[in-house]
Amino acid sequence: MPDITAAGTYTHETENFEFLQFIAGETKSLLFDGSLGGATVTIGYVDDQGQNRTLENGVIASLPASKVIGPVSKNLRIVVSGGPPNLNVIEAGKLRY
């Protein structure tokens, strides 16, 4: 399970976060646990114009938290600001249509 212990942007190119990569028709379930330590955590993507976007209901305000993310045709990103966080995220499951 990937740990998040520093502010930053975590993408499918970040070691152990490959599950954030777009796969056609896939719904993902993510579980978050640990301590936010004052950090703000959002789940989002980069749109076609290169703008960072946050998914609807993509803000993690308290832990533990779970998010089910329907099919999205973009690579996902977890953005952490502030902190220091001490949390982990698990890909709990995926469903392909």
Side-chain angles (χ1 to χ4, degrees), residues 5-97:
T5 58
T9 300
Y10 298 82
T11 71
H12 70 285
E13 295 175 330
T14 306
E15 186 176 355
N16 296 321
F17 286 83
E18 295 83 4
F19 59 87
L20 296 174
Q21 184 170 9
F22 159 68
I23 297 175
E26 185 174 274
T27 295
K28 298 177 186 282
S29 296
L30 304 179
L31 303 178
F32 294 82
D33 200 3
S35 170
L36 290 174
T40 300
V41 177
T42 59
I43 305 168
Y45 62 96
V46 177
D47 71 13
D48 292 339
Q49 286 75 42
Q51 298 295 312
N52 292 322
R53 302 290 183 197
T54 299
L55 293 174
E56 183 178 346
N57 298 316
V59 176
I60 308 296
S62 63
L63 297 176
S66 62
K67 297 292 179 179
V68 176
I69 303 164
V72 176
S73 61
K74 301 287 182 187
N75 292 320
L76 297 175
R77 312 158 47 100
I78 297 173
V79 179
V80 181
S81 57
N86 186 14
L87 62 111
N88 57 59
V89 58
I90 300 168
E91 181 183 36
K94 50 190 159 190
L95 177 65
R96 293 191 183 150
Y97 295 96

